[in-house]
Amino acid sequence: MEIEKWIRALKAARAGADVSQEGLAALIKWSPSTVAAIETGRRRPTVEFAMAADEALGTCGLLAGLLRDDEGLTGPAWFESWPGHEEQAVRLLDFEPCLVPGLLQTEEYARAVVSAGGLHRSERVEELVNLRMSRQRLLHREHSPECVFVIDESALRRRIGGPAVMERQLGWLLEAAELSPVRLHVLPLDVGAHVSMGGGFLLAELPGNDRLLCLDTAARGQIADHPEWIRWVQRKWEHLLGEALSQSASLDLINKLKVTP
């Protein structure tokens, strides 16, 4: 099913329930501008949005089911639409307290992360690794979004996958920092307590000044455009970036953490 057909299904469901765009936005607690952007094809709907619309419009899971069929992606359901948002973004702001960000992971590192604890079968591990690697194509596009990363120093010291895997990961960070869209900063351990110790986040700035937030948790992540959430995360980002090392000092630190120069 093409996404245009999904949009027609949403409009038909909304008309059948006699609910306006603004009314749907109020019911599902998404902004009216997001509902309008989805219905005009300027923004891809998320599964979370479709599930909320199903509940509000009484469509018994139809919209979410159609969207999952259309996406055909192998990632977690809540994450299915995020790569499309990354592709549209003009700027990505990424903070990670425990890991190297997915957009900067080597394949070996990603595989070690996804396979930790044996929670996924080997086939599923490869699906998730492939999805993560496919997202990195946007770093090499002619018109890539500006990508600013703040990584906690502890994430660089954690030997994920063993010394050899981590050595190659640190080497790739140094190479990635030379890509035109990438700005890389390390939040040093001597900062102590900081404003986002509870978890990382990824904030996408989209055309038209729209912003979208991606949060991951131990149970299930979510994609949101709640204005108050975004304002709060933006404030956290400004604090983190202000306390982080400059890019040159960050790269010097990464060099020192490598076993081989």
Side-chain angles (χ1 to χ4, degrees), residues 216-238:
D216 199 357
T217 70
R220 183 186 187 276
Q222 67 179 126
I223 297 169
D225 71 341
H226 306 305
E228 64 274 19
W229 290 17
I230 289 174
R231 282 194 296 270
W232 185 243
V233 168
Q234 186 72 47
R235 290 182 62 189
K236 287 190 173 187
W237 172 260
E238 291 167 0

Side-chain angles (χ1 to χ4, degrees), residues 77-146:
W78 70 269
F79 190 76
E80 286 177 351
S81 68
W82 184 257
H85 296 308
E86 285 182 332
E87 291 287 337
Q88 296 176 3
V90 296
R91 194 164 182 246
L92 294 169
L93 309 177
D94 194 343
F95 169 66
E96 282 293 343
C98 300
L99 297 170
V100 170
L103 285 172
L104 296 178
Q105 291 179 8
T106 66
E107 185 173 335
E108 294 173 300
Y109 183 101
R111 186 171 289 108
V113 170
V114 174
S115 61
L119 298 179
H120 300 295
R121 295 175 300 178
S122 58
E123 297 85 354
R124 182 59 172 161
V125 168
E126 293 309 307
E127 289 177 350
L128 294 172
V129 170
N130 289 338
L131 175 62
R132 190 161 299 180
M133 294 300 100
S134 70
R135 292 171 55 209
Q136 298 183 9
R137 291 177 298 191
L138 68 83
L139 298 178
H140 305 278
R141 286 186 348 214
E142 184 178 357
H143 301 291
S144 299
E146 179 187 5

Side-chain angles (χ1 to χ4, degrees), residues 178-223:
E178 297 179 1
L179 298 173
S180 58
V182 174
R183 285 175 50 202
L184 178 59
H185 302 273
V186 175
L187 186 68
L189 288 173
D190 59 16
V191 165
H194 58 75
V195 296
S196 196
M197 297 186 70
F201 56 82
L202 182 50
L203 185 62
E205 297 181 359
L206 304 171
N209 295 320
D210 286 339
R211 290 181 294 175
L212 206 56
L213 182 62
C214 181
L215 299 169
D216 199 357
T217 70
R220 183 186 187 276
Q222 67 179 126
I223 297 169

Side-chain angles (χ1 to χ4, degrees), residues 2 16 47 72 83 85 174 177 224 227 239 244:
E2 298 176 355
V47 172
H85 296 308
L174 296 174
H239 278 277

Side-chain angles (χ1 to χ4, degrees), residues 19 51 63 86-87 92 104 145 151-152 154 159 167 175-176 199 210 243 249 256 258-259:
V19 175
M51 291 172 64
L63 296 171
E86 285 182 332
E87 291 287 337
L92 294 169
L104 296 178
I151 310 173
D152 195 284
S154 61
R159 296 296 174 182
E167 181 77 358
E175 293 180 37
D210 286 339
E243 293 181 317
K256 290 176 183 176
K258 287 180 88 279
V259 174

